[in-house]
Amino acid sequence: RLLALLLFLLRSHNEVSSVITDKESIFLKVPNAEDARQHLQYITSMPHVAGTSEDWIMANYVKDQFEQNGFDEVSIDPLDVYLNYPMDKAIVQLKDTTKGNQIVFNAKLSEDVLDFDSTSDTTWRNHTFHGYSPSGQVFAPLIYANYGRPEDFEALNRFDVSVKDKVVLVRYGKCFRGLKVMNAQKKGALAVLIYSDPIDDGEAVGPTYPLGPWRPPAGVQRGSVQFNSLCAGDPQRADARYRNAYEEDDQSVIERICGYNTTDL
């Protein structure tokens, strides 16, 4: 029965896929490896952090490419959103309290400039930050929490290790970075540091850039630390169209769309 069902599904899929519209035909003629390489090279030729002028350049580039390849109606839909950007470089230091707060580690938080790669020398290489992460200063003991998953914090609890009022160190992988922060916050942590472990994304896996695809020692992963399992996108729903759609204030809109209020997010 299972084999018959699979054969039926495959036959049904082939029957449906055999009917290709004119626009689908145009689309299928477009992809090729060399074009993909050229597009990727241009798009990565400059930082295009969300909301910046370079981001607008790239959005128009993508729009132009769709139009040049036969799409009749292509538009860019600007949205008003709340975003944060770093004003200064962060400082992360590890101090030995048994030796008069002697600094034993000072994080560089700046990616290397590579002579052969002009895209490596930008102001953003010195801005190691996560979107929607608040500003602040924290001085507290450091606790390692593996990947920052619920089971990792449960493991700490079994050994009577509390992260309350502590700085939590976690590594990338296994779950979204924003959920690592959310899990730590639920346990009362003051701050979270996230790093890329070479065993997951680095020399332990394979050759690193420029010799391979894996992250080099000075490479930094960036992104947002939104609590995506609660609500994705702009947590404030700043765009007027959200308010107009519900004819209510921002707080109510967030509750209606996400099921959570601003404090939760």
Side-chain angles (χ1 to χ4, degrees):
R1 291 181 180 179
L2 179 59
L3 179 60
L5 177 60
L6 289 173
L7 289 173
F8 171 76
L9 291 174
L10 289 172
R11 184 166 56 252
S12 299
H13 172 73
N14 290 334
E15 290 172 357
V16 172
S17 62
S18 64
V19 181
I20 300 177
T21 66
D22 292 339
K23 289 186 177 180
E24 287 174 335
S25 298
I26 295 173
F27 187 81
L28 290 174
K29 293 177 182 178
V30 172
N32 68 70
E34 185 54 35
D35 282 352
R37 179 182 294 275
Q38 291 178 6
H39 292 314
L40 182 61
Q41 185 172 15
Y42 178 74
I43 290 174
T44 59
S45 65
M46 65 181 78
H48 45 277
V49 179
T52 62
S53 58
E54 292 83 2
D55 186 37
W56 180 248
I57 291 173
M58 293 305 170
N60 278 283
Y61 173 78
V62 173
K63 175 179 179 292
D64 291 343
Q65 295 306 311
F66 275 113
E67 291 174 339
Q68 291 174 22
N69 284 284
F71 285 82
D72 299 326
E73 297 181 9
V74 185
S75 62
I76 297 176
D77 184 19
L79 286 172
D80 292 326
V81 298
Y82 284 108
L83 289 173
N84 63 333
Y85 304 101
M87 297 179 65
D88 201 355
K89 183 177 178 179
I91 297 175
V92 177
Q93 294 179 333
L94 182 62
K95 298 182 179 181
D96 188 344
T97 56
T98 66
K99 297 181 179 180
N101 287 331
Q102 177 183 343
I103 297 175
V104 295
F105 176 73
N106 194 0
K108 186 172 65 170
L109 297 181
S110 181
E111 293 176 303
D112 293 341
V113 176
L114 306 176
D115 294 336
F116 60 87
D117 186 351
S118 60
T119 67
S120 66
D121 188 11
T122 74
T123 56
W124 290 101
R125 76 179 184 86
N126 295 315
H127 292 307
T128 305
F129 81 108
H130 287 312
Y132 295 111
S133 176
S135 298
Q137 291 185 344
V138 176
F139 302 91
L142 185 69
I143 300 292
Y144 175 68
N146 200 20
Y147 291 104
R149 302 165 298 180
E151 55 264 40
D152 294 320
F153 288 101
E154 291 170 4
L156 289 174
N157 287 335
R158 288 197 296 271
F159 288 95
D160 295 324
V161 177
S162 172
V163 299
K164 181 176 174 57
D165 297 329
K166 307 292 194 308
V167 175
V168 175
L169 177 67
V170 299
R171 53 178 168 159
Y172 277 109
K174 307 300 182 182
C175 70
F176 176 62
R177 72 180 76 85
L179 302 186
K180 300 175 188 291
V181 175
M182 183 180 75
N183 295 333
Q185 180 175 300
K186 286 181 177 179
K187 296 296 183 179
L190 295 179
V192 179
L193 297 174
I194 313 176
Y195 74 99
S196 295
D197 194 320
I199 201 169
D200 296 314
D201 182 12
E203 59 188 1
V205 187
T208 61
Y209 181 80
L211 300 178
W214 297 102
R215 195 177 304 277
V220 178
Q221 184 181 149
R222 296 175 177 82
S224 84
V225 286
Q226 292 178 310
F227 298 171
N228 275 353
S229 62
L230 302 184
C231 185
D234 174 17
Q236 294 287 345
R237 293 299 187 261
D239 196 274
R241 282 171 286 183
Y242 288 110
R243 294 193 296 273
N244 294 339
Y246 291 92
E247 296 182 352
E248 298 173 351
D249 58 41
D250 289 350
Q251 183 63 64
S252 298
V253 170
I254 295 171
E255 290 175 349
R256 288 285 294 278
I257 294 177
C258 301
Y260 294 86
N261 58 40
T262 306
T263 303
D264 293 325
L265 298 175

